[in-house]
Amino acid sequence: MSDMVPAVDVSGLCVRTRSRVLVDSVEFSIAPGERVGLIGESGSGKSLTSLAIMGLLPDNLTASGSVSIAGSPNVVGLTDKEMAPYRGRVASMVFQEPMTALDPLMRVGDQLAEVLRHGGNSEVSSSGTRSRSDLHQAVVPGLTEVGLPDPASAARAYPHQLSGGQRQRVMIAMALANEPALLVADEPTTALDVTVQAQVLDLMVRLVEERGAGLLFITHDLAVVSRVCERVLVMLGGNVVESGSITDVFGSPQHEYTRRLLAASDLETLDLGLPSTSAMPSVSVMPQEGEAPPIIRFTNVSKVYSRGRTQPPVQAMNAVSLDIYPGERFGIVGESGSGKTTALRMLTALDTPTSGTVEVKGLRLDLATKSQMAALRRNQQMVFQDPLGSLDPRMTIGRIVAEPLLALRIPKAERVQTVEEMLLAVGLPADTTARYPHQFSGGQRQRIAIARALVTQPSIVVADEPVSALDVSVRAQVLELLARLTTQRNLTLVMVSHDLAVVRHLCHRVAVMQNGTVVEVGTTQQVWDDPQHSYTKRLQASTPVMEIATQT
Amino acid sequence: MTTYFLRALGKLLGTLLIASVLIFLILRVMPGDAATVALGINATPDALEAWREAHGTNSPLIAQYVTWMGGILHLDFGTSFVTGRALTPLILDRVQVTLIIVGLGMVLALLAAIPLGTLAAVKHRSPLGVGIAGASQIGVALPSFLVGVLLVGLFAVRLGWLPSGGWMPPAYDFSEFLRRVTLPVLALATVQTAVMTRYIRSAVLEVMREDFLRTARAGGSTWNRALVRHGLRNAAVPIVTVVGVQLASMLIGAVVIERVFVVPGIGSMLVDAVGQRDLQAVQGIVMVLVTIVVVLNIAVDLLYMVLDPRIRLRESS
């Protein structure tokens, strides 16, 4: 292929329902070997654009305009059958959810072989007469290339036997199996742990570079784009509002929306009431150890989950000791399987330790009476990760927020008033009460969840990944809200997150967990600026950071 | 895998043991005295007592249960209180008839419902798909005996092609068996086709939204190919459950069809035995039905393992 022919050339691409235009006249072109990012919030049309290129739009949407892949005639409007030969061979795609993107009932090797067969690969094309082990032999090189530790056994594995990162490697192997001219990646690492994300991103960039293929990389994460791509397109409401090299767009954004997006993702500019880097280290909002007794204390907490007679038990927590002081914002950071969620379950008494004790306000949870537990639960409320999943879709906001008050037998008039005050405090209009969760955006829903948590006037709030399901622009607002409310109400906040960057900006102190143990505890500043443990160093290095200085 | 089978076998035996105790006890507490029913209300107390002595209904419950279970372990269900004949050959004959009708009915229903349900899902926006879905809605609401009566009216009375009822064991006269089995099987299958079409449609619709179908298409499969290769097997998992439940309820509900077509199945035998207070026959029949249902459930569990590696690997590890 000559360098003159772009990997993909999109012009005047529109996607519409019968009544609405969702993608409006999008134009761009990607040269062979070029890596282009497509950023925007949920609903901006970035995923629809990629699906339209691949001819994979849901059938209630129609595309118009022109898309040429590697010099092909216009593929927009082709039937499924006409489009199929392009997919996987000329253009291929990696999707966001590694958990659901592979057929759970089919061996990984068979799924990869299927793609090879579509590409006319002779080694697998006569698979009808070949044995399964021959077939798996043929896919081993592809699985080796994406860095799977044991490619031969990975070929025989079913998807559920692989980790999220391994599945995403398999997806990449499938996408690149037939040497396509264009690779479309739709949030390929959003569901992965940061250290795994870093590896998968590096792998993808390397393989695309080696092949000289064009890459269209869709993400909401600006830091990831700046790491992977050379050029970026910013989408808003179905339009590309700005495009150019990463340095130009991030360095001197022209469009107002891009500026807002950049400001929101740059947590540095956020003032969440933490002692700033330049301030005197001794003058600190953070309560000092020894001043007051800890409000939460983990002493040598271990948790072992047994998995039946045949599988070895899992040590989810191993001798964890932590002290959290009143008024402190405390972060627990770790990747999946680190034990951070188990720690939350212990703290909220949803689970009991195998050994060791958890104390809240001097009360040992394992010795607490029923009425003490009830009082404690009122005093300690939770905010969950998925604001839509954790709000009952058939209840009005008023009832959702009032629900914790019902248990306290508070009279109706007082309840209504408390709820309205609480909604105002989280920045929602009081007339919110009559509406339902689906009528709100993700950020608003998380505000509602925070209102529900705070309505009983608790002194401890436990938040499980409170902003990781939110768009960047909303994330900053919710963090600000959490910071303001915890300060105003003198709350103790315990936050679990996979994102060291978020914890760094919100929390006074942080515990880093790995494989059930706390490997490092300290002020967030210490831990970020001078990590002691090798795992913390790795975590910090893997956390994507915007590499371009903004001049807003 | 072996431990799984052993565990399944243990579960089967345990369930049957509990079921046998329950069946036995429930029948004992039901009102109505077997001796009075057998001999009529004018029988003398001496005659009644002699009957009870002869049939063992006056011995302690435990002893009665042990005798009954001892017989069952040798596949002997005892003798009927009413006719005095051995129950085992009778029950086996009758259950065979019902199993044939129900089995053929389900096979026929699946042969029709799998393509119909899949088509209804794939074309769910077009008039064809909506039409199939609507027709299956109506079919679900039809009672099978009504379908039976309509079929008799059309094929037996008006056209005279097939007999309106009666039975012929396949071993004696196979072509006559076919002529007699057709209408009852059609009546059962019509309603089951409607029921299964609905379930298959929604299972396929569900699977059509799965990400892995999109992945297969992104890898070069056409939509239809992806659906056949990846979709149908995934859709089969929930459908297997429904087939198991439907078979069990068809077995029990077959009595209606047996009555309409005058077929000597287990259902009508059960209803007759209950009417005659023939305790011995009732508990034998119910025990056989329970055994079939429990075995069906285990077969469904095993099918899951064949279909879904996640279940297979969890159970066998």
Side-chain angles (χ1 to χ4, degrees), chain A residues 22 33 59 114 169 360 503 537:
Chain A
L22 302 175
D59 55 10
E114 186 179 312
R169 285 171 194 268
V360 177
V503 167
K537 286 180 188 158

Side-chain angles (χ1 to χ4, degrees), chain A residues 80 87 100-101 103 114 118, chain B residues 211 215 217 223 229-230 234:
Chain A
D80 181 51
R87 290 194 297 252
T100 55
D103 185 345
E114 186 179 312
H118 288 308
Chain B
D211 288 350
T215 307
R217 294 176 67 207
W223 171 240
R229 243 180 103 69
H230 300 277
N234 275 281

